[in-house]
Amino acid sequence: MALNSVKEPGAEGDDLLDVLVVGAGPTGLLLGCDLARRGVRALVVERSHRLFPGSRGKGLQPRTLEVFDDLGVLAAVRAAGGGAPVGMVWRDGERQAEYRMFPDVPPTEAEPYTSPWLLPQWRTQEILLARLAELGGRVEFGAALSTLEQDPEGVEARLHDGRLVRARYAVAADGGRSTVRRQLGVGMTGEAVDPHPMLVADVRITGLDRDNWHVFPSTGDDFLTLCPLPGSDDFQLVARFTDGGGPDLSADGVRKTLAARTHLSAEQLTEVRWASDFRPRAAMADRFRDGRVFLAGDAAHVHSPAGGQGLNTSVQDAYNLGWKLGAVLRQGAPEALLETYEEERLPVAADMLGLSTRIHRGEAERGAATRQLTLGYRDSSLAVEARVRLPPEALRAGDRAPDGRPGRARLFDAFRGPHWTLLAVGTEVPVPPLAPETVRVHRVPEYEPYGVGLFLVRPDGYVGWAGPSADGLLPYLARVSGGAEHHR
């Protein structure tokens, strides 16, 4: 990608990037991939000189797997990861009991992925970075942001070395301590989920099997767990400290914690590859948009790790925003479409924050909500339901579009890509000519998860519009993809 909009101090010219993405975590990388496949000129900048090295967000929920399927990285994710192992409770060096960390839900045609998939965050990021490169995008590492200003035409960011970056829009994907959010003056409201600090570390251990997620409870409120990380020789160690002191992140400190709380000796911990002092907190930005700048991922909401919602909610932010930026920048959709990002994502993030906090405090259990397959946008201004007298369980505009094989092809294969999909399910009602590069039409037999009718599936896999006939379809497309005249 020619980065003509990245200029040395004093350079002239007004060539703009379409989007500047600040931060190369899962949110920024996924957004970069989605923008690249839409032909949007984007640059991801990352202050660090490398990808995040730890396992922190290791649980990928089923809805995230569907996103990865659409982006073409699911095979790599499957090959590198694994299912959650059975939990094993230890006491005094003896195995006490096994238990399932997550409910066992069999897959169906409509929901092909129903269980969390474990993959260290560093590996998820490597896969997304490789996909970004395949799509022609790139990340500039060692590019810390110094200042960011905006005007009616775009944003101007100054990097730490004095270079300027001009873009039409910017996305803050730079984490819970977001530089961009602070420079915008957007507040972050929240609370400590747990007053006690936690140690999270990637370690290598001898003498412990990798078939179980090992749990070492204590007589008080402290605990230590060791989860084998698929695709590596590492375990993720998590320990809670209630004695008033924080964890010692040195290798010797981590070894002492292990020896004090398990039957393993300090010498059996052979390497500490990454360690962090984590303070569980739940907080959300007061708004997700400020002019031409959007907040996504941890820059917009910070979760307790309980329930595995943080990384997954962040992925959904990027997936929601990517197609909308692409529609405005490449298809001529009204700029007002971008207002629906905050409208749709802020309530979802608030719900997920509440769920994560309740799970952390033992007030709720992991279940259907944590899989994120039931999340949707029925209350969004983009959800237009033209059918009447629907039964309570019916699929409606705003819901996730189910998978299946009601015809010859799999529905997720039909959805895959940056386009919209018009499904004519069990009906031969006529539809107007539609631009195939924007909307692809598929007629399939009646299929129980959908029923009968026309269903316009958004690029992010949710039903945007549904009706018994095509009446109202073109006006809807005018709002979201650049005008009805494009489809005649």
Side-chain angles (χ1 to χ4, degrees):
M1 179 187 295
L3 300 178
N4 297 330
S5 52
V6 182
K7 303 183 183 304
E8 302 298 330
E12 297 182 356
D14 58 356
D15 189 23
L16 290 177
L17 286 168
D18 289 321
V19 182
L20 172 67
V21 180
V22 183
T27 309
L29 291 171
L30 190 135
L31 180 58
C33 290
D34 204 17
L35 294 174
R37 68 175 179 163
R38 298 175 190 284
V40 174
R41 292 184 64 240
L43 171 65
V44 182
V45 294
E46 167 58 44
R47 65 180 304 154
S48 177
H49 290 276
R50 61 171 181 162
L51 293 173
F52 172 74
S55 66
R56 187 164 54 202
K58 67 181 183 300
L60 302 177
Q61 297 295 344
R63 180 57 186 156
T64 299
L65 297 179
E66 293 183 350
V67 174
F68 287 168
D69 189 346
D70 178 46
L71 285 175
V73 298
L74 183 62
V77 166
R78 286 290 201 186
V86 173
M88 174 62 67
V89 178
W90 291 80
R91 192 174 298 279
D92 299 325
E94 299 290 335
R95 296 173 184 263
Q96 299 296 310
E98 290 186 352
Y99 70 99
R100 290 278 179 187
M101 302 294 288
F102 304 99
D104 189 12
V105 181
T108 65
E109 271 203 349
E111 297 181 353
Y113 318 119
T114 53
S115 299
W117 193 251
L118 297 192
L119 188 66
Q121 183 174 323
W122 61 263
R123 185 68 183 113
T124 298
Q125 292 179 194
E126 284 184 348
I127 291 170
L128 290 173
L129 181 61
R131 181 59 175 151
L132 179 60
E134 290 175 354
L135 293 167
R138 60 162 287 189
V139 176
E140 183 164 343
F141 290 97
L145 184 75
S146 294
T147 63
L148 187 142
E149 298 178 351
Q150 57 179 313
D151 54 50
E153 284 73 44
V155 299
E156 183 172 277
R158 185 175 294 276
L159 304 181
H160 72 294
D161 59 4
R163 289 179 299 158
L164 295 177
V165 181
R166 286 282 300 173
R168 291 180 173 86
Y169 298 96
V171 180
D174 52 342
R177 297 182 177 90
S178 170
T179 298
V180 176
R181 188 187 66 238
R182 292 199 302 269
Q183 293 208 4
L184 294 173
V186 176
M188 192 90 164
T189 304
E191 61 175 335
V193 174
D194 188 332
H196 305 297
M198 300 177 72
L199 166 66
V200 183
D202 294 350
V203 300
R204 292 193 173 174
I205 293 174
T206 61
L208 191 67
D209 73 80
R210 299 182 61 84
D211 299 324
N212 294 112
W213 192 325
H214 303 278
V215 179
F216 300 88
S218 71
T219 54
D221 291 329
D222 290 339
F223 63 82
L224 185 145
T225 65
L226 289 165
C227 177
L229 295 172
S232 75
D233 296 324
D234 301 346
F235 287 82
Q236 185 192 66
L237 182 153
V238 177
R240 185 169 183 252
F241 293 79
T242 61
D243 59 2
D248 181 348
L249 302 185
S250 70
D252 284 344
V254 178
R255 289 188 177 98
K256 289 178 182 177
T257 298
L258 177 80
R261 300 193 183 189
T262 76
H263 63 278
L264 303 171
S265 68
E267 292 72 24
Q268 286 178 269
L269 196 160
T270 60
E271 185 178 355
V272 177
R273 299 176 62 80
W274 168 79
S276 173
D277 181 346
F278 181 71
R279 311 289 169 126
R281 184 168 176 257
M284 190 167 73
D286 296 342
R287 58 187 185 275
F288 285 11
R289 182 184 185 185
D290 187 285
R292 289 181 168 268
V293 185
F294 301 86
L295 306 182
D298 286 356
H301 43 80
V302 179
H303 300 243
S304 159
Q309 299 302 292
L311 181 150
N312 295 276
T313 302
S314 300
V315 162
Q316 303 303 325
D317 289 346
Y319 199 48
N320 183 287
L321 182 57
W323 75 264
K324 295 173 181 177
L325 284 168
V328 170
L329 290 163
R330 287 292 172 268
Q331 297 174 350
E335 206 270 347
L337 177 64
L338 298 176
E339 297 174 4
T340 66
Y341 169 67
E342 178 178 284
E343 176 194 348
E344 293 187 338
R345 292 306 300 164
L346 193 149
V348 170
D351 287 347
M352 291 298 97
L353 277 176
L355 177 62
S356 297
T357 300
R358 291 193 300 275
I359 292 174
H360 188 108
R361 293 173 174 168
E363 301 166 355
E365 295 183 352
R366 301 173 181 89
T370 59
R371 294 194 291 272
Q372 298 199 355
L373 295 175
T374 57
L375 294 179
Y377 306 116
R378 284 190 181 185
D379 295 330
S380 168
S381 60
L382 294 184
V384 176
E385 179 57 69
R387 297 168 299 162
V388 296
R389 295 187 293 277
L390 294 174
E393 69 279 5
L395 181 74
R396 297 172 187 268
D399 292 347
R400 163 194 168 273
D403 194 12
R405 295 180 181 272
R408 288 188 242 174
R410 181 189 177 196
L411 292 180
F412 275 9
D413 289 340
F415 300 160
R416 187 177 295 109
H419 57 269
W420 292 73
T421 306
L422 181 64
L423 282 183
V425 185
T427 179
E428 295 297 325
V429 297
V431 299
L434 302 172
E437 67 274 13
T438 304
V439 184
R440 299 183 185 177
V441 180
H442 292 268
R443 292 188 180 273
V444 299
E446 183 174 347
Y447 178 42
E448 190 273 332
Y450 285 83
V452 174
L454 298 180
F455 300 85
L456 184 64
V457 180
R458 301 173 7 168
D460 60 350
Y462 292 89
V463 178
W465 174 95
S469 71
D471 292 345
L473 175 62
L474 290 181
Y476 181 88
L477 285 169
R479 293 175 53 202
V480 297
S481 64
E485 69 277 358
H486 180 59
H487 301 285
R488 292 195 182 110

